[in-house]
C-alpha cells in the first residue's frame, strides 16, 4: 500500500508523525510546507513542498490543485491521509477522482466548531476520524477514535 500524508507544517504535521507506527510500514510520501520544522522532521522521508499560506488563499489553492494533479499522477497513492489544513483540500478531491481512498482526522483542538478544511473534504472522505464525541454533531459519518496525542 502506498500512502500520501498531506498536511500543513506545525501541529498538523506533528499529528501525522504521531501515526508513525502505522505509516512507517508502508511506502509513503509527504506533502507539506517547506518550513524549518518540516525539513527537520522529514529529513529521511520522500516529500513534496506545497504552496502556502493556504488559509482562504485562492491563488495558492489553484497552485496546489495543479500540484496535486502532478504529484498524484506520478505517485498513484492507494490512500491519502490528512490532519489538515488547507493543503489537504485539492489532494482529497483530485485523489478521489483518481481512485484513492481518503482518511481525514479532524483536529484535536476544535470541539465547538468544525474546521473549514474538514467541511471541504467531508464529501469525499472515506473515513472521517474524530477525536471528540462532540464533533459528531458536525460530521454524522465521523468515527470517534479519541485523541491521537
Amino acid at each position: 500500500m502506498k500512502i500520501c500524508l498531506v498536511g500543513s507544517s506545525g501541529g498538523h504535521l506533528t499529528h501525522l508523525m504521531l501515526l508513525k507506527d502505522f505509516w512507517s510500514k508502508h511506502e509513503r510520501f509527504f506533502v507539506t510546507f517547506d518550513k524549518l520544522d518540516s525539513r527537520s522532521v522529514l529529513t529521511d522521508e520522500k516529500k513534496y513542498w506545497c504552496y502556502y499560506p493556504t488559509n482562504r488563499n485562492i491563488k495558492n489553492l489553484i497552485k496546489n490543485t495543479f500540484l496535486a494533479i502532478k504529484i498524484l499522477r506520478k505517485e498513484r497513492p492507494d490512500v491519502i491521509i490528512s490532519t489538515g489544513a488547507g493543503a489537504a483540500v485539492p489532494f482529497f478531491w483530485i485523489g478521489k477522482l483518481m481512485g484513492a481512498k481518503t482518511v481525514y482526522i479532524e483536529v484535536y483542538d476544535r470541539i465547538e466548531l468544525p474546521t473549514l478544511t474538514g467541511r471541504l473534504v467531508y464529501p469525499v472522505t472515506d473515513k472521517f476520524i474524530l477525536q471528540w464525541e462532540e464533533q459528531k454533531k458536525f460530521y454524522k459519518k465521523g468515527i470517534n477514535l479519541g485523541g491521537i496525542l
Side-chain angles (χ1 to χ4, degrees):
M1 176 170 51
K2 187 182 224 181
I3 303 171
C4 169
L5 296 139
V6 59
S8 305
S9 58
H12 296 286
L13 181 58
T14 299
H15 278 155
L16 287 173
M17 298 309 288
L18 290 171
L19 303 173
K20 188 174 185 174
D21 285 346
F22 167 74
W23 56 252
S24 65
K25 300 170 187 154
H26 303 283
E27 184 180 357
R28 68 202 169 267
F29 64 95
F30 286 81
V31 179
T32 190
F33 304 154
D34 185 7
K35 290 190 166 186
L36 186 60
D37 65 319
S38 304
R39 281 184 260 131
S40 174
V41 170
L42 299 175
T43 302
D44 298 324
E45 295 292 339
K46 185 174 193 178
K47 60 209 159 275
Y48 296 93
W49 304 126
C50 62
Y51 299 94
Y52 66 93
T54 56
N55 293 355
R56 294 162 179 81
N57 188 310
I58 299 300
K59 179 182 170 187
N60 285 339
L61 174 63
I62 293 167
K63 289 165 75 173
N64 283 331
T65 299
F66 284 104
L67 185 66
I69 293 168
K70 180 181 174 183
I71 292 170
L72 296 174
R73 271 189 185 158
K74 176 183 175 184
E75 294 289 347
R76 298 284 183 189
D78 299 299
V79 64
I80 301 168
I81 301 172
S82 182
T83 54
V89 175
F91 280 84
F92 268 53
W93 282 89
I94 300 298
K96 193 63 170 175
L97 289 173
M98 297 176 79
K101 296 294 183 189
T102 54
V103 178
Y104 186 78
I105 304 167
E106 183 64 301
V107 296
Y108 186 77
D109 61 347
R110 289 294 290 272
I111 303 167
E112 304 286 326
L113 294 171
T115 61
L116 178 58
T117 302
R119 289 181 292 166
L120 292 173
V121 301
Y122 186 72
V124 293
T125 301
D126 294 298
K127 295 287 183 204
F128 201 96
I129 308 301
L130 307 173
Q131 298 187 61
W132 295 98
E133 190 61 31
E134 291 82 357
Q135 294 170 321
K136 265 293 222 203
K137 65 184 168 193
F138 307 113
Y139 307 111
K140 302 295 184 225
K141 70 177 184 179
I143 302 164
N144 179 14
L145 296 181
I148 60 173
L149 295 174

